[in-house]
Structures are given as C-alpha cells and as structure tokens.
C-alpha cells in the first residue's frame, strides 16, 4: 500500500477520487494482519472501523466531513473508548470494557478520525520496552529482534510499520518520545494541562499526558490542535487550545540551549552523539543561536521521578481490588479476595512500583524520600524555566542509547536510567518533541528532543519543521 507521510496527502488522494476511507481502512487492516508478528495491535475494531469509513466517505462526498476525515488512528490500551476494552496491558483489567470515551477519543471522532484498534503497551504504562505487557512484547519494525521502546511501544511501532496513519500514546516520563525515537518516528508530549486526561487510565496523575505519534510534524500539529483544550472532566486541563489557524510565529532566528551534561553523558551512544552534533551544526548554519548550558541536577532527575511517580501510582492503582473492575480471584473473605486478585492480576514491575510507592509515602520515610523529591521537582522546574527565560528552546538527545535486543535488559534500574533525558519535561510540565535525526548504521534512527516553554507547541513544532525541511 502507498505510504503517506501526512494526512494532507491522504486527503488529497481522497479528494481526487484516488482513494476512499473504506479502502484505506481495509489496507491498514491487511497490513496489521501481515505484521501480526510485531504484536503492535492487541485488537482491531474491524467492522466498526469499516462502517465508520463508509459513513465518512459519504460525508466527504457531501462536503460535511470533519478536519480529520481520512485519518485512521490506533490508541494505546490505557485510553478509554466507549464499549471497547481498555486494559493498560494488564491482566487485572482483563474483560474490562469502558463505559465512556476519553475526551481525546471523543474529540478525534468528532472530527471524523477512525479508531482502528488498541495498541500494546507496558503494564500500566510502566516501562521503556513494551516487554511488561500481559500480551507479550511488541517488536521493533526496524528490526523485530529489538524492543520498540516503551511504554507506548505499540503506538510507535504501528506508525513506523504503517499499520495505521497515526496513534495516541501517553507520556509520564518519556513513553511517547522514547518509543518514537526507537522506531524512528515523531512524538509529542504536550505541556501538562494542554490535553485532557479524562478517560486515561492513570499511572502518575501529575505527570501523565496524552500525545500523538506520527510520521510528520504537520500531523503532530493537526492532531494536537484537535485533542487540546479545556475539559470540565479534568480540572488540571487549562483553557488553552493550540490554534492551528493562527499565523505561526516561528519566523526568525531562535536561541537553543544545549545541555552539556547530556551531550557529554558518559554512556551516550557515539552515533547518537555524532548525529546530534551534526544537527547542532545545521541549526547554527540556519542562523539560529546555540549556547551550551549546564543542568547540574541531571543526576537527580531519575531518582526524583521514580520516587514521585511510584508514590502516585501506589495510590492510583489501589482501585484495582477485584470488585470495581476487571479481573477477580476469589478468596475466603473480602481481604483475601483483594489480596488474591492483586497478587494474580498485577505483573512484577507494577508490584515493585506499588511497593516502592507505599514505602516512600510511609510515615517513617515520607520526609526523607517523598518530601525531598517534591523539593527536587521544584528545583528542576525552576532551573528549566530559568534556561527557557534566556533561550527559546532546550535541545538534547531523546535517549542515551539506541534500541537494544528484546530480553536484553533485565535489571530494573538499568531500564530506569534510560529515562535520563526524557523525565525532565514531565517533572517540570514543559512540552517536549522527539524527532528522528538520521538513520544509524544498524538501520535505527538517532533522535533529538526539543523542550519548549509552557504552551509553546505551535512555535516549537513550526521551528522543528523549518529545521528538518531545510
Ligand atoms: N520509562 C518510564 C517509566 O517506566 C516512562 C513511562 C511513561 O512515560 N509512561 O516510568
């Protein structure tokens, strides 16, 4: 099937009668079938998607179709879609069907996007490899022996393998950007509060954001514009919307702050470093200013992130007791039932994080861990804001390493350290974009990350687009 880089190309083919939504959906379904070994989709909504496609084809004919007509999307398994299962890759939500749709899903459907299925992810979005899903690991389409990254590994793999046009992922500590980097596609974590979390199965609520994964910056812009905006169901969602129509204010030279500690990170892959430095050179050639800055707190990012997110997770995941949702394992009494359900329903990584979270929140340890990590979070926010008050953007690699083989990394802390470059934007709430720089020798991609001021998505995407198109 023809590869489309942007929705615009699809819509053009539809308008010239070279393609219908119905054919498009059929093509993607065939492609999903052919690529079953990737294990990107957990389930497809075949008949639902096909009948929606026919309706949208009619609407296109009648010129009443929404802005996303022709967009076929997959959603991560932790985003609710009315009357469809949503299990966050966990056995504990086995057989759970959502009674309502997430705000993002409603917004996509209102603009005539077609939801084609749900995508594999690490259990409760905890992980960097998509290996901790109850459905088994997703494979990287660039080389199926390698991980696609995580936790939105299914979402990134599906875009790279052309199983659908775009996907939604979620990013608590890098889960959109890191798999986008590992699969060589684009991913955006919006500013905290730009996109509603209503209908997202919570991991760490003060970090979680939903965002798009695509083959082009143009589509990131378009989808973010549709899914952003205030929502009565999410009080942390602010009254801002990315205005697509507004003339993009991205003209003129920008000031980039390059993080010394990231470029000179001892364990950085040499190819990532070389490609990143080439990108910096290009940015300078295009007339932008580049300045090297220090983020001395870099070593504290991962510890602070894991203390705070596990604390929030231990609280968020207490609702899975075998009574309210999904999986249930019987017991002699109610306490036994809850214990049996949680013992059987949660995987190892989730249990580890619940234990860690309850530990850091416990009366005896709260002051030494949770409260300290909150203070570190404030310092990181201040430091990031200070840099962004003197520069337009922060630029750093998305990940220190290229993809590794499935089953290769077993030590949890080894995996946690993968998040070193991505968690800053979640701790501070800033928007961050991952974009592929260049193909590597082993056919993966190096990836760069741009962090911008709060709600600067439009300008950030515009600038990124002008850099890569030049
Ligand atoms: N790898 C990080 C973690 O395991 C990021 C997860 C995420 O962003 N959902 O927590």
């Amino acid at each position: 099937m023809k590869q489309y880089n942007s929705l615009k190309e699809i819509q053009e083919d539809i308008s010239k009668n070279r393609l219908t939504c119905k054919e498009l959906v059929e093509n993607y379904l065939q492609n999903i079938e052919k690529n079953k070994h990737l294990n990107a989709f957990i389930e497809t909504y075949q008949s639902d998607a096909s009948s929606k496609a026919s309706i949208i084809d009619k609407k296109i004919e009648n010129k009443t179709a929404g802005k996303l007509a022709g967009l076929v999307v997959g959603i991560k398994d932790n985003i609710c879609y009315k009357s469809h299962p949503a299990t966050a890759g966990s056995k504990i939500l086995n057989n759970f069907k959502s009674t309502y749709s997430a705000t993002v899903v409603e917004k996509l459907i209102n603009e005539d996007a077609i939801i084609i299925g749900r995508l594999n992810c690490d259990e409760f979005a905890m992980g960097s490899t998509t290996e901790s899903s109850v459905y088994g690991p997703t494979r990287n389409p660039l080389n199926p022996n390698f991980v696609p990254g995580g936790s939105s590994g299914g979402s990134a793999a599906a875009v790279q393998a052309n199983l659908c046009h775009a996907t939604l992922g979620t990013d608590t500590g890098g889960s959109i950007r890191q798999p986008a980097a590992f699969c060589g596609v684009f991913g955006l974590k919006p500013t905290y509060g730009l996109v509603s979390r209503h209908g997202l199965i919570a991991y760490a609520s003060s970090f979680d954001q939903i965002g798009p994964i695509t083959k082009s910056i143009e589509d990131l812009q378009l989808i973010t514009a549709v899914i952003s905006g205030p929502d009565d169901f999410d009080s942390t969602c602010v009254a801002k919307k990315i205005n697509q129509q507004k003339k993009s204010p991205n003209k003129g030279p920008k000031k980039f702050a390059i993080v010394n500690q990231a470029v000179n990170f001892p364990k950085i892959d040499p190819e990532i470093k070389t490609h990143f430095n080439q990108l910096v050179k290009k940015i300078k050639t295009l007339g932008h200013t580049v300045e090297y800055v220090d983020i001395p707190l870099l070593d504290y990012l991962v510890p602070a992130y894991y203390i705070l997110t596990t604390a929030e997770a231990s609280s968020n995941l207490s609702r899975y007791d075998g009574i309210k949702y999904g999986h249930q394992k019987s017991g002699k009494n109610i306490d036994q039932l809850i214990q049996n359900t949680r013992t059987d329903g949660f995987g190892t990584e989730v249990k580890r994080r619940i234990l860690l979270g309850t530990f850091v929140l416990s009366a005896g340890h709260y002051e030494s861990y949770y409260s300290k990590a909150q203070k570190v979070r404030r310092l990181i926010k201040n430091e990031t804001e200070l840099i962004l008050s003197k520069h337009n953007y922060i630029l750093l690699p998305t990940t220190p390493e290229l993809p590794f083989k499935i089953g290769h990394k077993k030590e949890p802390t080894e995996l946690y350290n993968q998040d070193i470059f991505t968690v800053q934007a979640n701790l501070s709430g800033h928007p961050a974009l991952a974009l592929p720089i260049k193909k590597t020798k082993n056919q993966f991609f190096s990836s760069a990350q741009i962090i911008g001021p709060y709600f600067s998505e439009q300008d950030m995407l515009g600038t990124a687009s002008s850099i890569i198109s030049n």
Side-chain angles (χ1 to χ4, degrees), residues 89-286:
S90 181
K91 183 176 177 184
I92 211 155
L93 279 168
N94 192 18
N95 293 329
F96 168 73
K97 268 195 184 161
S98 183
T99 51
Y100 63 91
S101 287
T103 301
V104 289
V105 170
E106 276 190 354
K107 288 189 173 197
L108 288 179
I109 292 175
N110 285 345
E111 290 298 342
D112 287 332
I114 296 168
I115 315 282
I116 195 164
R118 62 187 169 108
L119 293 153
N120 204 11
C121 61
D122 280 301
E123 187 178 5
F124 284 101
M126 297 174 185
S128 313
T129 61
T130 316
E131 292 173 292
S132 78
S133 164
V134 71
Y135 307 102
T138 294
R139 295 176 176 276
N140 191 323
L142 299 167
N143 182 336
N145 295 324
F146 286 68
V147 300
S151 63
S152 314
S155 303
V159 173
Q160 174 54 254
N162 205 30
L163 309 184
C164 55
H165 185 68
T167 58
L168 290 185
T170 64
D171 194 311
T172 305
S175 279
I176 288 176
R177 290 160 286 155
Q178 186 257 18
F182 275 20
C183 293
V185 290
F186 295 88
L188 175 72
K189 180 203 86 76
T191 306
Y192 184 81
L194 184 74
V195 176
S196 167
R197 288 176 296 110
H198 175 64
L200 161 64
I201 297 175
Y203 158 18
S205 314
S206 76
F207 293 74
D208 300 339
Q209 270 294 282
I210 298 172
I213 298 181
T214 63
K215 283 207 199 82
S216 69
I217 289 185
E218 195 181 314
D219 286 345
L220 287 183
Q221 246 156 349
L222 194 61
I223 296 170
T224 310
V226 169
I227 63 175
S228 61
D231 183 10
D232 288 343
F233 293 114
D234 177 2
S235 59
T236 61
C237 198
V238 295
K240 295 223 185 214
K241 192 158 171 64
I242 298 296
N243 187 352
Q244 250 249 307
Q245 311 314 329
K246 215 172 87 189
K247 234 184 150 12
S248 170
N250 58 30
K251 300 277 173 290
K254 303 280 178 187
K255 272 193 192 157
F256 285 86
I258 319 276
V259 183
N260 271 322
Q261 282 82 354
V263 197
N264 300 317
F265 188 65
K267 286 187 211 131
I268 196 166
D269 179 276
E271 229 178 334
I272 294 182
K273 188 170 173 166
T274 309
H275 290 175
F276 181 81
N277 286 333
Q278 287 168 355
L279 176 72
V280 172
K281 228 186 192 162
K282 180 179 181 189
I283 287 174
K284 281 200 262 185
T285 321
L286 292 172

Side-chain angles (χ1 to χ4, degrees), residues 348-413:
T348 313
E349 183 56 28
V350 172
K351 282 179 190 152
R352 182 182 292 122
R353 293 195 191 196
I354 292 173
L355 285 176
L356 185 59
T358 43
F359 172 79
V360 299
L361 286 175
S362 62
H365 301 284
Y366 184 92
E367 283 304 326
S368 353
Y369 293 101
Y370 186 74
S371 159
K372 280 242 172 72
Q374 289 280 44
K375 289 174 188 154
V376 172
R377 186 178 198 179
R378 168 59 67 167
L379 291 176
I380 289 162
K381 178 176 161 25
N382 290 351
E383 202 168 287
T384 311
E385 281 186 297
L386 185 68
I387 297 174
L388 288 170
S389 68
K390 298 182 193 148
H391 304 86
N392 296 95
Y393 301 108
I394 298 172
L395 182 69
L396 71 171
T398 309
T399 61
E401 286 182 44
L402 291 171
F404 37 88
K405 281 207 166 125
I406 292 176
H408 183 71
K409 288 204 200 296
K410 299 233 161 31
E411 270 303 302
T413 46

